[in-house]
Every structure is written in structure tokens, then in C-alpha cells.
Amino acid sequence: EADIYQTPRYLVIGTGKKITLECSQTMGHDKMYWYQQDPGMELHLIHYSYGVNSTEKGDLSSESTVSRIRTEHFPLTLESARPSHTSQYLCASSASEGSNSPLHFGNGTRLTVT
Amino acid sequence: RKEVEQDPGPFNVPEGATVAFNCTYSNSASQSFFWYRQDCRKEPKLLMSVYSSGNEDGRFTAQLNRASQYISLLIRDSKLSDSATYLCVVRGTGFQKLVFGTGTRLLVSP
């Protein structure tokens, strides 16, 4: 059923490492998003993209960066991971046409920085 | 005041009960509305869009009240599998950014 994929599913990494969380979708959606969610807490938008070569910061300040070189991919990078980055990262996409287009989420990457 | 507000619950109901959640939004120019379901430690999944005239999908009914700026979700004949957190989502203006509520937790017991 899933047309949007995130890898890795789980990642445990040491402080100071550079990491890239992958997100790919096969629906041809122009809009893509990254959300951060701590357990039992609300989702926070950290990055979004209108389309290729477009990236914007979301509502929650994040030390991560994103790129959108291809429509299908929207990777998120942390140059130097810290324990405060421990969280779940959810990627999503939506179609451009119509304001009633819902978000489709990937199954998330659960990041733990030790 | 948050853009989208929900009662966090939990709502504890027995199987077979009818339960309703409300969600209020502050931006009167909001264009579209959704209910998502999120299971523990999983990603949110679209439950249903909410249309101005109200809409139904099986045991689930969604309503929109633009005058009072709230949407509602009614679940009839609750099942154990309905236990989850229900997220209210509103699309605003401009980039048409989606705003998520904090969610209402539902626990259905035997």
C-alpha cells in the first residue's frame, strides 16, 4: 500500500556523526514534507518543498538540512548528530492540484543519538 | 491560542459505544480539513477528508461547522481496533500548510 518510503526504519548513532534520512515517493507528488514527532507529542513541521530545487524551513527550528534534486527524493541530513536530535522523523508528500489533497506519510525513521 | 485545538483525552469507551470528538480551528480562511488516525509509534494515516456537507464512511461520520469553526468525528459501534489517537488536520492559506492538532486518544475496552 505504501507509495512513500523511508530508510532506515531505526537508526542508533553516536554523537557527532553525519546522518542522512532517506525519503522516496512514487506518486509523482510535487509537495514533500519532513515532520518531527517525539513520543506522545504532536507533529512539528521542520522542512517542506514545493518541487524540485525548492526547500523551505518549517515551523520548528531544526539543525537539519534538506535537498530536492529529484521529484521522488527528499533526503534530510544532520551534519553532526546530538542527543537532542533523538526523535521520530516522518516524511510525507501531497499532490499539488486541489487544496483538498491529503498528506501521505512514510513509516518514519526512529533516530536515537547516544 | 493554538491554530488547531483538540481535547487530548483519553476517551475510554466500551465496545459498541458511540463516541464523538471535536476539533476547533482559529483561521477562518482555512480551506480543507482532515481526520487522521495514528497508532502508537506508527505514522499518521488518513482516515477521511471532511467536506462542507458532511460525509460518512462506514461507522465514521465527519462534519464541518464553518460558522463555529470546528470539525467533528463520530464513531459508531466502536471496535477494539479503533483504539488510537485521532488527529485533526486543517489546511491554511498561502502555501496551504497543513496544521496538525495534538490528537485525541481513544481507548476502546471489551
PDB file of all heavy atoms in Angstrom, chain A residues 32-34 45-51 53-60 62 64-68 74 76, chain B residues 95 97:
ATOM      1  N   MET A  32       6.538  17.872  -0.746  1.00  0.00           N
ATOM      2  CA  MET A  32       7.051  16.912   0.235  1.00  0.00           C
ATOM      3  C   MET A  32       7.388  17.636   1.526  1.00  0.00           C
ATOM      4  O   MET A  32       7.650  18.851   1.523  1.00  0.00           O
ATOM      5  CB  MET A  32       8.261  16.161  -0.322  1.00  0.00           C
ATOM      6  CG  MET A  32       7.899  15.273  -1.509  1.00  0.00           C
ATOM      7  SD  MET A  32       9.210  14.163  -2.032  1.00  0.00           S
ATOM      8  CE  MET A  32       9.161  12.909  -0.729  1.00  0.00           C
ATOM      9  N   TYR A  33       7.356  16.882   2.613  1.00  0.00           N
ATOM     10  CA  TYR A  33       7.471  17.466   3.950  1.00  0.00           C
ATOM     11  C   TYR A  33       8.290  16.558   4.851  1.00  0.00           C
ATOM     12  O   TYR A  33       8.296  15.330   4.682  1.00  0.00           O
ATOM     13  CB  TYR A  33       6.075  17.605   4.590  1.00  0.00           C
ATOM     14  CG  TYR A  33       4.991  18.180   3.722  1.00  0.00           C
ATOM     15  CD1 TYR A  33       4.382  17.422   2.723  1.00  0.00           C
ATOM     16  CD2 TYR A  33       4.545  19.487   3.902  1.00  0.00           C
ATOM     17  CE1 TYR A  33       3.375  17.942   1.925  1.00  0.00           C
ATOM     18  CE2 TYR A  33       3.531  20.016   3.118  1.00  0.00           C
ATOM     19  CZ  TYR A  33       2.950  19.232   2.136  1.00  0.00           C
ATOM     20  OH  TYR A  33       1.945  19.754   1.359  1.00  0.00           O
ATOM     21  N   TRP A  34       8.913  17.174   5.838  1.00  0.00           N
ATOM     22  CA  TRP A  34       9.505  16.431   6.956  1.00  0.00           C
ATOM     23  C   TRP A  34       8.892  16.939   8.255  1.00  0.00           C
ATOM     24  O   TRP A  34       8.846  18.151   8.499  1.00  0.00           O
ATOM     25  CB  TRP A  34      11.019  16.617   7.021  1.00  0.00           C
ATOM     26  CG  TRP A  34      11.786  15.711   6.118  1.00  0.00           C
ATOM     27  CD1 TRP A  34      12.350  16.017   4.923  1.00  0.00           C
ATOM     28  CD2 TRP A  34      12.097  14.334   6.341  1.00  0.00           C
ATOM     29  NE1 TRP A  34      12.974  14.927   4.386  1.00  0.00           N
ATOM     30  CE2 TRP A  34      12.839  13.876   5.239  1.00  0.00           C
ATOM     31  CE3 TRP A  34      11.817  13.435   7.383  1.00  0.00           C
ATOM     32  CZ2 TRP A  34      13.305  12.572   5.142  1.00  0.00           C
ATOM     33  CZ3 TRP A  34      12.288  12.138   7.290  1.00  0.00           C
ATOM     34  CH2 TRP A  34      13.023  11.719   6.172  1.00  0.00           C
ATOM     35  N   LEU A  45       6.332  20.499  11.848  1.00  0.00           N
ATOM     36  CA  LEU A  45       6.880  20.614  10.502  1.00  0.00           C
ATOM     37  C   LEU A  45       8.261  21.239  10.578  1.00  0.00           C
ATOM     38  O   LEU A  45       8.426  22.334  11.126  1.00  0.00           O
ATOM     39  CB  LEU A  45       5.966  21.478   9.643  1.00  0.00           C
ATOM     40  CG  LEU A  45       6.382  21.710   8.195  1.00  0.00           C
ATOM     41  CD1 LEU A  45       6.323  20.407   7.417  1.00  0.00           C
ATOM     42  CD2 LEU A  45       5.492  22.767   7.540  1.00  0.00           C
ATOM     43  N   ILE A  46       9.276  20.559  10.039  1.00  0.00           N
ATOM     44  CA  ILE A  46      10.634  21.108  10.079  1.00  0.00           C
ATOM     45  C   ILE A  46      11.139  21.534   8.700  1.00  0.00           C
ATOM     46  O   ILE A  46      11.966  22.447   8.599  1.00  0.00           O
ATOM     47  CB  ILE A  46      11.627  20.126  10.751  1.00  0.00           C
ATOM     48  CG1 ILE A  46      11.580  18.729  10.127  1.00  0.00           C
ATOM     49  CG2 ILE A  46      11.374  20.062  12.245  1.00  0.00           C
ATOM     50  CD1 ILE A  46      12.632  17.779  10.684  1.00  0.00           C
ATOM     51  N   HIS A  47      10.670  20.891   7.629  1.00  0.00           N
ATOM     52  CA  HIS A  47      11.056  21.290   6.275  1.00  0.00           C
ATOM     53  C   HIS A  47       9.928  20.949   5.314  1.00  0.00           C
ATOM     54  O   HIS A  47       9.167  20.014   5.553  1.00  0.00           O
ATOM     55  CB  HIS A  47      12.314  20.545   5.801  1.00  0.00           C
ATOM     56  CG  HIS A  47      13.542  20.812   6.594  1.00  0.00           C
ATOM     57  ND1 HIS A  47      14.271  21.972   6.475  1.00  0.00           N
ATOM     58  CD2 HIS A  47      14.178  20.056   7.529  1.00  0.00           C
ATOM     59  CE1 HIS A  47      15.306  21.918   7.296  1.00  0.00           C
ATOM     60  NE2 HIS A  47      15.264  20.772   7.949  1.00  0.00           N
ATOM     61  N   TYR A  48       9.856  21.715   4.197  1.00  0.00           N
ATOM     62  CA  TYR A  48       8.941  21.329   3.144  1.00  0.00           C
ATOM     63  C   TYR A  48       9.487  21.790   1.797  1.00  0.00           C
ATOM     64  O   TYR A  48      10.417  22.607   1.733  1.00  0.00           O
ATOM     65  CB  TYR A  48       7.527  21.847   3.384  1.00  0.00           C
ATOM     66  CG  TYR A  48       7.372  23.344   3.506  1.00  0.00           C
ATOM     67  CD1 TYR A  48       7.040  24.126   2.402  1.00  0.00           C
ATOM     68  CD2 TYR A  48       7.512  23.977   4.738  1.00  0.00           C
ATOM     69  CE1 TYR A  48       6.864  25.491   2.510  1.00  0.00           C
ATOM     70  CE2 TYR A  48       7.340  25.339   4.859  1.00  0.00           C
ATOM     71  CZ  TYR A  48       7.000  26.097   3.753  1.00  0.00           C
ATOM     72  OH  TYR A  48       6.832  27.451   3.868  1.00  0.00           O
ATOM     73  N   SER A  49       8.869  21.265   0.761  1.00  0.00           N
ATOM     74  CA  SER A  49       9.338  21.557  -0.588  1.00  0.00           C
ATOM     75  C   SER A  49       8.141  21.629  -1.534  1.00  0.00           C
ATOM     76  O   SER A  49       7.248  20.782  -1.500  1.00  0.00           O
ATOM     77  CB  SER A  49      10.299  20.461  -1.054  1.00  0.00           C
ATOM     78  OG  SER A  49      10.547  20.547  -2.433  1.00  0.00           O
ATOM     79  N   TYR A  50       8.141  22.659  -2.395  1.00  0.00           N
ATOM     80  CA  TYR A  50       7.091  22.802  -3.406  1.00  0.00           C
ATOM     81  C   TYR A  50       7.351  21.880  -4.590  1.00  0.00           C
ATOM     82  O   TYR A  50       6.414  21.501  -5.308  1.00  0.00           O
ATOM     83  CB  TYR A  50       7.078  24.214  -3.977  1.00  0.00           C
ATOM     84  CG  TYR A  50       6.671  25.318  -3.043  1.00  0.00           C
ATOM     85  CD1 TYR A  50       7.628  26.064  -2.371  1.00  0.00           C
ATOM     86  CD2 TYR A  50       5.336  25.661  -2.878  1.00  0.00           C
ATOM     87  CE1 TYR A  50       7.261  27.114  -1.540  1.00  0.00           C
ATOM     88  CE2 TYR A  50       4.964  26.712  -2.055  1.00  0.00           C
ATOM     89  CZ  TYR A  50       5.926  27.426  -1.385  1.00  0.00           C
ATOM     90  OH  TYR A  50       5.564  28.460  -0.569  1.00  0.00           O
ATOM     91  N   GLY A  51       8.643  21.624  -4.851  1.00  0.00           N
ATOM     92  CA  GLY A  51       9.026  20.837  -6.001  1.00  0.00           C
ATOM     93  C   GLY A  51      10.536  20.825  -6.124  1.00  0.00           C
ATOM     94  O   GLY A  51      11.256  21.262  -5.210  1.00  0.00           O
ATOM     95  N   ASN A  53      14.233  21.606  -6.544  1.00  0.00           N
ATOM     96  CA  ASN A  53      15.059  22.790  -6.225  1.00  0.00           C
ATOM     97  C   ASN A  53      14.372  23.789  -5.300  1.00  0.00           C
ATOM     98  O   ASN A  53      14.854  24.920  -5.153  1.00  0.00           O
ATOM     99  CB  ASN A  53      15.533  23.501  -7.501  1.00  0.00           C
ATOM    100  CG  ASN A  53      16.495  22.646  -8.295  1.00  0.00           C
ATOM    101  OD1 ASN A  53      17.278  21.897  -7.733  1.00  0.00           O
ATOM    102  ND2 ASN A  53      16.424  22.746  -9.613  1.00  0.00           N
ATOM    103  N   SER A  54      13.283  23.388  -4.698  1.00  0.00           N
ATOM    104  CA  SER A  54      12.580  24.250  -3.737  1.00  0.00           C
ATOM    105  C   SER A  54      12.638  23.612  -2.357  1.00  0.00           C
ATOM    106  O   SER A  54      12.262  22.441  -2.198  1.00  0.00           O
ATOM    107  CB  SER A  54      11.121  24.419  -4.164  1.00  0.00           C
ATOM    108  OG  SER A  54      10.266  24.558  -3.035  1.00  0.00           O
ATOM    109  N   THR A  55      13.150  24.334  -1.360  1.00  0.00           N
ATOM    110  CA  THR A  55      13.115  23.861   0.020  1.00  0.00           C
ATOM    111  C   THR A  55      12.849  25.048   0.933  1.00  0.00           C
ATOM    112  O   THR A  55      13.323  26.161   0.680  1.00  0.00           O
ATOM    113  CB  THR A  55      14.438  23.190   0.462  1.00  0.00           C
ATOM    114  OG1 THR A  55      15.500  24.123   0.384  1.00  0.00           O
ATOM    115  CG2 THR A  55      14.741  21.968  -0.382  1.00  0.00           C
ATOM    116  N   GLU A  56      12.085  24.807   1.975  1.00  0.00           N
ATOM    117  CA  GLU A  56      11.729  25.845   2.934  1.00  0.00           C
ATOM    118  C   GLU A  56      11.809  25.274   4.339  1.00  0.00           C
ATOM    119  O   GLU A  56      11.559  24.073   4.543  1.00  0.00           O
ATOM    120  CB  GLU A  56      10.310  26.350   2.693  1.00  0.00           C
ATOM    121  CG  GLU A  56      10.038  26.901   1.302  1.00  0.00           C
ATOM    122  CD  GLU A  56      10.652  28.259   1.074  1.00  0.00           C
ATOM    123  OE1 GLU A  56      11.013  28.919   2.068  1.00  0.00           O
ATOM    124  OE2 GLU A  56      10.797  28.651  -0.104  1.00  0.00           O
ATOM    125  N   LYS A  57      12.099  26.141   5.287  1.00  0.00           N
ATOM    126  CA  LYS A  57      12.080  25.713   6.687  1.00  0.00           C
ATOM    127  C   LYS A  57      10.653  25.738   7.215  1.00  0.00           C
ATOM    128  O   LYS A  57       9.844  26.580   6.816  1.00  0.00           O
ATOM    129  CB  LYS A  57      12.982  26.625   7.528  1.00  0.00           C
ATOM    130  CG  LYS A  57      14.468  26.401   7.259  1.00  0.00           C
ATOM    131  CD  LYS A  57      15.331  27.054   8.302  1.00  0.00           C
ATOM    132  CE  LYS A  57      16.809  26.802   8.053  1.00  0.00           C
ATOM    133  NZ  LYS A  57      17.129  25.358   8.224  1.00  0.00           N
ATOM    134  N   GLY A  58      10.373  24.833   8.109  1.00  0.00           N
ATOM    135  CA  GLY A  58       9.040  24.731   8.669  1.00  0.00           C
ATOM    136  C   GLY A  58       8.889  25.560   9.926  1.00  0.00           C
ATOM    137  O   GLY A  58       9.631  26.505  10.170  1.00  0.00           O
ATOM    138  N   ASP A  59       7.906  25.162  10.742  1.00  0.00           N
ATOM    139  CA  ASP A  59       7.585  25.937  11.939  1.00  0.00           C
ATOM    140  C   ASP A  59       8.581  25.716  13.067  1.00  0.00           C
ATOM    141  O   ASP A  59       8.842  26.614  13.863  1.00  0.00           O
ATOM    142  CB  ASP A  59       6.195  25.549  12.445  1.00  0.00           C
ATOM    143  CG  ASP A  59       5.141  25.766  11.388  1.00  0.00           C
ATOM    144  OD1 ASP A  59       5.200  26.805  10.708  1.00  0.00           O
ATOM    145  OD2 ASP A  59       4.268  24.898  11.242  1.00  0.00           O
ATOM    146  N   LEU A  60       9.125  24.513  13.131  1.00  0.00           N
ATOM    147  CA  LEU A  60      10.042  24.181  14.211  1.00  0.00           C
ATOM    148  C   LEU A  60      11.467  24.298  13.698  1.00  0.00           C
ATOM    149  O   LEU A  60      11.824  23.713  12.681  1.00  0.00           O
ATOM    150  CB  LEU A  60       9.794  22.757  14.714  1.00  0.00           C
ATOM    151  CG  LEU A  60      10.663  22.297  15.890  1.00  0.00           C
ATOM    152  CD1 LEU A  60      10.301  23.067  17.147  1.00  0.00           C
ATOM    153  CD2 LEU A  60      10.501  20.794  16.107  1.00  0.00           C
ATOM    154  N   SER A  62      15.131  23.650  13.094  1.00  0.00           N
ATOM    155  CA  SER A  62      15.851  22.380  13.087  1.00  0.00           C
ATOM    156  C   SER A  62      17.245  22.610  12.548  1.00  0.00           C
ATOM    157  O   SER A  62      17.462  23.432  11.661  1.00  0.00           O
ATOM    158  CB  SER A  62      15.100  21.370  12.213  1.00  0.00           C
ATOM    159  OG  SER A  62      15.850  20.187  12.071  1.00  0.00           O
ATOM    160  N   SER A  64      18.760  20.392  10.945  1.00  0.00           N
ATOM    161  CA  SER A  64      18.880  19.548   9.775  1.00  0.00           C
ATOM    162  C   SER A  64      18.739  20.375   8.498  1.00  0.00           C
ATOM    163  O   SER A  64      18.257  21.516   8.532  1.00  0.00           O
ATOM    164  CB  SER A  64      17.798  18.460   9.808  1.00  0.00           C
ATOM    165  OG  SER A  64      16.517  19.062   9.863  1.00  0.00           O
ATOM    166  N   THR A  65      19.174  19.791   7.396  1.00  0.00           N
ATOM    167  CA  THR A  65      19.002  20.409   6.083  1.00  0.00           C
ATOM    168  C   THR A  65      18.373  19.390   5.139  1.00  0.00           C
ATOM    169  O   THR A  65      18.425  18.179   5.405  1.00  0.00           O
ATOM    170  CB  THR A  65      20.346  20.870   5.494  1.00  0.00           C
ATOM    171  OG1 THR A  65      21.223  19.739   5.385  1.00  0.00           O
ATOM    172  CG2 THR A  65      20.981  21.939   6.363  1.00  0.00           C
ATOM    173  N   VAL A  66      17.774  19.886   4.076  1.00  0.00           N
ATOM    174  CA  VAL A  66      17.144  19.003   3.102  1.00  0.00           C
ATOM    175  C   VAL A  66      17.559  19.420   1.706  1.00  0.00           C
ATOM    176  O   VAL A  66      18.073  20.519   1.497  1.00  0.00           O
ATOM    177  CB  VAL A  66      15.596  19.039   3.195  1.00  0.00           C
ATOM    178  CG1 VAL A  66      15.125  18.403   4.480  1.00  0.00           C
ATOM    179  CG2 VAL A  66      15.084  20.471   3.078  1.00  0.00           C
ATOM    180  N   SER A  67      17.317  18.533   0.756  1.00  0.00           N
ATOM    181  CA  SER A  67      17.562  18.853  -0.655  1.00  0.00           C
ATOM    182  C   SER A  67      16.460  18.214  -1.475  1.00  0.00           C
ATOM    183  O   SER A  67      15.840  17.220  -1.067  1.00  0.00           O
ATOM    184  CB  SER A  67      18.935  18.345  -1.096  1.00  0.00           C
ATOM    185  OG  SER A  67      18.998  16.932  -0.976  1.00  0.00           O
ATOM    186  N   ARG A  68      16.222  18.795  -2.637  1.00  0.00           N
ATOM    187  CA  ARG A  68      15.193  18.246  -3.534  1.00  0.00           C
ATOM    188  C   ARG A  68      15.720  18.370  -4.966  1.00  0.00           C
ATOM    189  O   ARG A  68      15.363  19.269  -5.714  1.00  0.00           O
ATOM    190  CB  ARG A  68      13.889  19.026  -3.367  1.00  0.00           C
ATOM    191  CG  ARG A  68      12.703  18.380  -4.063  1.00  0.00           C
ATOM    192  CD  ARG A  68      12.016  17.365  -3.229  1.00  0.00           C
ATOM    193  NE  ARG A  68      10.946  16.680  -3.920  1.00  0.00           N
ATOM    194  CZ  ARG A  68       9.695  17.141  -4.049  1.00  0.00           C
ATOM    195  NH1 ARG A  68       9.383  18.322  -3.552  1.00  0.00           N
ATOM    196  NH2 ARG A  68       8.779  16.430  -4.668  1.00  0.00           N
ATOM    197  N   PHE A  74      13.604  13.238  -1.186  1.00  0.00           N
ATOM    198  CA  PHE A  74      13.650  14.415  -0.303  1.00  0.00           C
ATOM    199  C   PHE A  74      14.449  14.026   0.945  1.00  0.00           C
ATOM    200  O   PHE A  74      13.904  13.903   2.039  1.00  0.00           O
ATOM    201  CB  PHE A  74      12.220  14.830   0.054  1.00  0.00           C
ATOM    202  CG  PHE A  74      12.097  16.173   0.724  1.00  0.00           C
ATOM    203  CD1 PHE A  74      12.863  17.266   0.336  1.00  0.00           C
ATOM    204  CD2 PHE A  74      11.154  16.374   1.728  1.00  0.00           C
ATOM    205  CE1 PHE A  74      12.724  18.511   0.936  1.00  0.00           C
ATOM    206  CE2 PHE A  74      10.995  17.618   2.342  1.00  0.00           C
ATOM    207  CZ  PHE A  74      11.776  18.684   1.940  1.00  0.00           C
ATOM    208  N   LEU A  76      16.917  14.099   4.212  1.00  0.00           N
ATOM    209  CA  LEU A  76      17.175  15.027   5.324  1.00  0.00           C
ATOM    210  C   LEU A  76      18.536  14.672   5.927  1.00  0.00           C
ATOM    211  O   LEU A  76      18.812  13.493   6.173  1.00  0.00           O
ATOM    212  CB  LEU A  76      16.063  14.893   6.372  1.00  0.00           C
ATOM    213  CG  LEU A  76      16.148  15.774   7.616  1.00  0.00           C
ATOM    214  CD1 LEU A  76      14.762  16.194   8.070  1.00  0.00           C
ATOM    215  CD2 LEU A  76      16.863  15.060   8.749  1.00  0.00           C
TER     216      LEU A  76
ATOM    217  N   PHE B  95       0.909  28.884   1.408  1.00  0.00           N
ATOM    218  CA  PHE B  95       1.450  27.607   0.927  1.00  0.00           C
ATOM    219  C   PHE B  95       0.443  26.493   1.147  1.00  0.00           C
ATOM    220  O   PHE B  95       0.622  25.379   0.676  1.00  0.00           O
ATOM    221  CB  PHE B  95       2.763  27.290   1.655  1.00  0.00           C
ATOM    222  CG  PHE B  95       3.289  25.888   1.440  1.00  0.00           C
ATOM    223  CD1 PHE B  95       3.740  25.497   0.192  1.00  0.00           C
ATOM    224  CD2 PHE B  95       3.311  24.969   2.472  1.00  0.00           C
ATOM    225  CE1 PHE B  95       4.238  24.209  -0.027  1.00  0.00           C
ATOM    226  CE2 PHE B  95       3.804  23.683   2.264  1.00  0.00           C
ATOM    227  CZ  PHE B  95       4.265  23.306   1.023  1.00  0.00           C
ATOM    228  N   LYS B  97      -0.322  25.330   4.075  1.00  0.00           N
ATOM    229  CA  LYS B  97       0.343  24.471   5.025  1.00  0.00           C
ATOM    230  C   LYS B  97      -0.674  23.738   5.881  1.00  0.00           C
ATOM    231  O   LYS B  97      -1.683  24.290   6.289  1.00  0.00           O
ATOM    232  CB  LYS B  97       1.225  25.360   5.919  1.00  0.00           C
ATOM    233  CG  LYS B  97       2.229  24.644   6.752  1.00  0.00           C
ATOM    234  CD  LYS B  97       3.154  25.660   7.416  1.00  0.00           C
ATOM    235  CE  LYS B  97       2.406  26.729   8.165  1.00  0.00           C
ATOM    236  NZ  LYS B  97       3.326  27.678   8.830  1.00  0.00           N
TER     237      LYS B  97
END
